[in-house]
């Protein structure tokens, strides 16, 4: 374990999926949610609303041991009629699953999808906001604000790719709009000294100038695997 090791936090919203993690030592991630691959040495697991008093916290983590790309119907053969049966998933194979103590709690009730962080932040964290650098936290807020407006951005985390400034990319009808925390990169400078609304309006203006986004049907309250 090294301080700079990458940790990917994913959501678990079904008891069956938690059993797969705890008993069978694997976790599934839709390939289209991670088009660049799963770039992490460890995975943390955020339990969602299905888990009663443990709703809204990271209670477990494990080392990544391997990865396969499989269709959902192969991973879950007793759910062949599921609407996503043909969808491709990464099957992330896990080492020993450990309890996170203290757990990382979502005290602000902020929307959670995937979070990239570093090992040193993860082991010290007791709240979700402890997982972020200032730049990653700002990018994450803008990311969710865009999603709430029906825009489907992609983001690059500083914790995921330390050599690249955290940024957001939006595929539009006429090209791509990029917002970056590097003032010399992208169409919009994600200046953390400006308000979220200012940045969001600048991005939406650029999107309009590119004839609008290529829209996708996305949830507004985080990503939950199905």
């Amino acid at each position: 374990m090294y301080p700079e090791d990458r940790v990917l936090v994913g959501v678990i919203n079904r008891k069956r999926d938690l059993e797969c993690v705890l008993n069978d030592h694997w976790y599934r991630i839709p390939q289209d949610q991670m088009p660049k691959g799963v770039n992490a040495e460890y995975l943390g697991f955020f339990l969602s609303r299905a888990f009663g008093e443990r709703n809204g916290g990271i209670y477990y983590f494990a080392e990544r041991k391997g990865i396969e790309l499989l269709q959902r119907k192969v991973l879950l053969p007793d759910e062949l009629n599921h609407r996503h049966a043909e969808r491709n998933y990464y099957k992330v194979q896990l080492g020993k699953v450990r309890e996170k103590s203290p757990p990382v709690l979502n005290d602000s009730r902020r929307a959670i999808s995937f979070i990239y962080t570093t090992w040193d932040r993860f082991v010290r964290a007791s709240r979700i906001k402890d997982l972020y650098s200032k730049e990653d936290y700002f990018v994450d807020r803008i990311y969710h604000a865009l999603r709430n407006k029906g825009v489907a951005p992609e983001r690059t985390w500083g914790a995921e790719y330390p050599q690249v400034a955290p940024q957001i990319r939006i595929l539009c009808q006429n090209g791509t709009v990029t917002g970056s925390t590097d003032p010399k990169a992208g169409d919009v400078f994600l200046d953390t000294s400006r308000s979220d609304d200012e940045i969001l309006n600048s991005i939406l203006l650029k999107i309009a100038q590119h004839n609008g986004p290529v829209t996708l049907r996305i949830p507004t309250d985080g990503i939950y695997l199905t």
Side-chain angles (χ1 to χ4, degrees):
M1 300 176 183
Y2 298 96
E4 66 273 14
D5 281 347
R6 296 164 296 182
V7 181
L8 172 64
V9 175
V11 175
I12 295 179
N13 71 319
R14 299 198 317 171
K15 292 180 180 179
R16 175 174 182 174
D17 291 328
L18 181 58
E19 290 172 1
C20 287
V21 169
L22 296 179
N23 301 328
D24 301 324
H25 290 198
W26 62 268
Y27 175 70
R28 61 191 175 93
I29 300 173
Q31 183 187 26
D32 54 15
Q33 298 291 350
M34 289 277 162
K36 299 176 184 177
V38 181
N39 302 300
E41 286 74 41
Y42 293 88
L43 274 76
F45 304 104
F46 179 91
L47 305 186
S48 71
R49 65 189 70 161
F51 295 94
E53 64 182 21
R54 292 190 299 171
N55 170 28
I58 302 168
Y59 287 88
Y60 301 100
F61 69 95
E63 185 177 4
R64 191 190 88 168
K65 291 295 187 180
I67 192 164
E68 299 177 83
L69 185 61
L70 300 168
Q71 289 183 311
R72 190 186 194 280
K73 63 184 180 183
V74 176
L75 286 170
L76 301 170
D78 57 343
E79 298 183 15
L80 296 179
N81 294 324
H82 194 279
R83 68 185 185 278
H84 294 313
E86 304 292 328
R87 193 179 190 186
N88 286 329
Y89 284 75
Y90 298 111
K91 179 183 180 182
V92 184
Q93 296 153 349
L94 306 170
K96 181 179 179 180
V97 180
R98 303 174 184 272
E99 290 193 19
K100 174 69 175 72
S101 181
V104 184
L105 301 179
N106 188 18
D107 57 347
S108 64
R109 314 304 297 173
R110 61 183 286 110
I112 298 296
S113 52
F114 292 103
I115 299 172
Y116 268 101
T117 188
T118 53
W119 178 254
D120 58 345
R121 289 181 182 275
F122 183 77
V123 295
R124 294 197 305 264
S126 60
R127 297 175 295 175
I128 289 293
K129 71 176 186 179
D130 298 335
L131 300 174
Y132 297 89
S133 68
K134 181 179 179 180
E135 290 77 15
D136 278 344
Y137 184 67
F138 189 71
V139 166
D140 190 64
R141 292 205 310 268
I142 300 300
Y143 169 86
H144 283 290
L146 287 168
R147 285 170 58 85
N148 287 339
K149 291 185 175 295
V151 178
E154 296 178 0
R155 59 186 159 173
T156 298
W157 298 82
E160 180 186 11
Y161 296 110
Q163 69 276 19
V164 179
Q167 61 181 235
I168 286 176
R169 297 176 69 253
I170 303 98
L171 180 63
C172 297
Q173 302 293 340
N174 185 24
T176 300
V177 171
T178 302
S180 176
T181 55
D182 180 351
K184 298 180 181 179
D187 303 292
V188 177
F189 174 35
L190 303 183
D191 182 357
T192 57
S193 67
R194 296 173 64 193
S195 71
D196 292 11
D197 286 342
E198 285 183 277
I199 295 292
L200 186 61
N201 288 336
S202 296
I203 293 174
L204 292 174
L205 177 60
K206 287 290 184 181
I207 291 173
Q209 292 171 350
H210 285 71
N211 294 327
V214 175
T215 57
L216 300 173
R217 185 179 180 274
I218 55 175
T220 58
D221 59 347
I223 293 176
Y224 298 95
L225 306 187
T226 55

